Amino acid sequence: MIILGIETSCDETGVCIIETKESEQGTILTVLGNQLYSQVAKHAEFGGVVPMMAKREHAKNLVPLLKKCLEEAEYNRPGSLTHHPSLTKEGEAGKRDESRLASSSLAKEECHSADKAVENILIREPELFTELLKLLETIEKPNIDAIAVTNGPGLEPALWMGVTFAKALAIAWNTPAIPTNHMEGHILVSSLQIMENKDSPSKAKERPCFTIIETKYPAIALLISGGHTQLVLIKDKLDYEIIGGTRDDAVGEAFDKVARMLGLPYPGGPQISKYADAWKENSNNKKQNFKFPRPMINSKDLDFSFSGLKTSVLYTLKEIPEITEDIKQEIAYEFKEAVMEVLATKTKSALIEYGAKSLIVGGGVIADKNIRLALEKTARETGVEFLLPEISASTDNALMIALAGLVRCKMLGDKCQMSDFKANGNLSL
Ligand code: KG4
Ligand code: ZN
């Protein structure tokens, strides 16, 4: 099976093509093409993601990324494409009248129905439509079985861009579209285990190959990203129940806000990690100057709260006349320790309470190596299997969306496809 994944929920534009084959070792997944464009530098000067700017950037980047991804997958190779009647009916690719590329005149012309439907979907994005049409005219339909796209949760204007783009492609290529939950992507990507080159069935050795680990259920997933902090009970494959969540800030959000208080650039997560690591390396024999609270660590439920911790950092900073690099490092370290302790404690309670057999962790914050280690320890102490994504697949990417689309396709067959789904910023698991 070959799936194209599209991710535009926040400030990363991602396009990925995966192929799976069944083998004696189980399902083997090869990444044929994987393109990611991070808008971080554009948003950094505003101190956070600007939703309408994210939308515009996605619109600008989707077609070039798709083109690169198709090239990487060698879909420009003879025999790798299937003939698509709707896009070649009036002649070979590339022979169309240039004037048809102008969206305003197109409305008046008698167009082929697939083109017309694509134009209707992208009616509010004439530039994206023009670029897409140009690309479609130079290639034929690639040999893919479905297009998976994030339809939530996330920033709605950004999500809409991916959704409309995927729908337009689905029509142009007469290929099913699968709406995909971003958080499900963060969960499922933890089940990919990289294969050594020697075992890899891929002819091009540089193509990453993975086996898909079978998760043991019930599982608990801890999701920690810029918009989410959730504990999820997974009773069986794709069967989710949210058993805990943050009452205020998400973990990633708290990282980003504390980084801003320390005068560190956006996104703050990696900065806090860096400063905390520096403190750990340099702090030998230095006395600890700060102690932050561990909010809700002893509460009976599985909920979290990080805004009090953030405020505590703020008040501490207000009392310090000169905030040196040393102080920033120590505050970053102690803040992260507080977060880690709460996450590990609550996760352990959830694992025990629900008799879980596996712990899955996902979301951008899991890119932090100490948080990875702390949660691995939690899994070890509780005697459960531990699944976590590669660091590079921890933050937003389209591989996880293609994978979520694949799993849905396999589980639900035709029921996973939809033609009139919407972007939903608050989509739940
Ligand atoms: O999953 P993600 O890429 O996007 C959302 O779905 O929100 O997560 C982004 C969050 C940001 O808050 C970012 O600061 C945080 O993940 N993050 C990190 C690290 N890398 C990204 N937090 C801690 N340590 C990191 N290395
Ligand atoms: Zn995410």
Side-chain angles (χ1 to χ4, degrees), residues 266-277:
Y266 173 85
Q271 297 291 329
I272 295 280
S273 287
K274 200 170 91 186
Y275 272 67
D277 284 352

Side-chain angles (χ1 to χ4, degrees), residues 4-293:
L4 168 71
I6 298 172
E7 158 63 31
T8 66
S9 68
C10 192
D11 58 352
E12 314 280 341
T13 320
V15 180
C16 179
I17 302 174
I18 57 168
E19 177 175 35
T20 52
K21 290 209 169 92
E22 297 310 318
S23 80
E24 279 174 9
Q25 292 149 286
T27 306
I28 296 187
L29 183 152
T30 306
V31 179
L32 300 182
N34 195 6
Q35 296 291 327
L36 191 67
Y37 173 78
S38 175
Q39 307 171 8
V40 156
K42 309 247 169 194
H43 298 278
E45 62 177 298
F46 301 96
V49 183
V50 183
M52 291 312 281
M53 190 161 115
K55 177 190 163 201
R56 280 196 301 278
E57 286 294 313
H58 291 312
K60 217 160 71 188
N61 293 312
L62 275 167
V63 172
L65 287 180
L66 174 64
K67 184 166 183 281
K68 271 198 205 160
C69 194
L70 290 169
E71 282 165 6
E72 197 186 343
E74 296 183 13
Y75 273 123
N76 43 2
R77 200 178 55 196
S80 63
L81 302 165
T82 53
H83 190 74
H84 192 279
S86 78
L87 289 162
T88 51
K89 195 175 171 188
E90 294 160 350
E92 291 144 47
K95 282 197 184 160
R96 291 190 181 179
D97 178 356
E98 277 291 302
S99 66
R100 295 190 57 207
L101 296 178
S103 58
S104 55
S105 62
L106 257 177
K108 297 183 195 117
E109 283 183 32
E110 279 248 325
C111 300
H112 187 272
S113 60
D115 286 8
K116 192 72 200 152
V118 171
E119 187 194 10
N120 282 341
I121 285 191
L122 293 176
I123 196 88
R124 293 194 192 155
E125 303 300 332
E127 282 165 28
L128 177 60
F129 173 64
T130 305
E131 290 307 308
L132 179 59
L133 209 61
K134 273 190 205 161
L135 177 67
L136 292 176
E137 286 182 342
T138 59
I139 57 161
E140 290 180 45
K141 181 197 170 188
N143 198 9
I144 56 174
D145 298 293
I147 301 168
V149 62
T150 310
N151 74 316
L155 304 170
E156 236 162 73
L159 287 165
W160 268 115
M161 196 49 70
V163 167
T164 42
F165 185 69
K167 283 184 180 178
L169 270 184
I171 289 171
W173 287 341
N174 194 17
T175 304
I178 309 167
T180 305
N181 187 306
H182 181 85
M183 301 317 286
E184 186 168 84
H186 276 306
I187 290 174
L188 292 173
V189 77
S190 67
S191 64
L192 293 184
Q193 191 170 60
I194 192 104
M195 287 179 87
E196 294 298 327
N197 260 354
K198 63 179 168 54
D199 305 326
S200 154
S202 157
K203 288 189 201 87
K205 292 286 184 212
E206 69 275 13
R207 285 200 167 142
C209 276
F210 299 90
T211 46
I212 302 180
I213 303 167
E214 284 302 322
T215 308
K216 292 188 182 134
Y217 299 104
I220 295 290
L222 172 70
L223 300 176
I224 41 178
S225 68
H228 286 76
T229 300
Q230 285 180 332
L231 276 165
V232 184
L233 169 66
I234 314 177
K235 287 170 249 173
D236 205 345
K237 209 170 208 171
L238 309 188
D239 182 1
Y240 308 107
E241 186 189 329
I242 293 163
I243 52 172
T246 182
R247 298 193 178 170
D248 37 61
D249 292 349
V251 176
E253 190 181 356
F255 268 72
D256 294 338
K257 287 178 177 168
V258 167
R260 203 179 313 160
M261 289 175 202
L262 295 174
L264 303 175
Y266 173 85
Q271 297 291 329
I272 295 280
S273 287
K274 200 170 91 186
Y275 272 67
D277 284 352
W279 176 255
K280 206 170 175 193
E281 267 171 36
N282 306 330
S283 64
N284 293 347
N285 305 323
K286 283 190 198 163
K287 82 169 176 50
Q288 184 176 354
N289 296 302
F290 309 108
K291 181 82 184 162
F292 297 132

Side-chain angles (χ1 to χ4, degrees), residues 257-328:
K257 287 178 177 168
V258 167
R260 203 179 313 160
M261 289 175 202
L262 295 174
L264 303 175
Y266 173 85
Q271 297 291 329
I272 295 280
S273 287
K274 200 170 91 186
Y275 272 67
D277 284 352
W279 176 255
K280 206 170 175 193
E281 267 171 36
N282 306 330
S283 64
N284 293 347
N285 305 323
K286 283 190 198 163
K287 82 169 176 50
Q288 184 176 354
N289 296 302
F290 309 108
K291 181 82 184 162
F292 297 132
R294 273 65 174 154
M296 294 184 72
I297 198 161
N298 294 318
S299 71
K300 297 268 179 297
D301 54 32
L302 295 170
D303 285 343
F304 302 90
S305 164
F306 295 104
S307 81
L309 174 58
K310 180 190 69 187
T311 311
S312 174
V313 174
L314 183 69
Y315 287 151
T316 303
L317 286 170
K318 276 191 176 158
E319 291 183 2
I320 306 172
E322 195 198 345
I323 299 164
T324 60
E325 285 293 289
D326 232 29
I327 290 174
K328 284 185 189 177

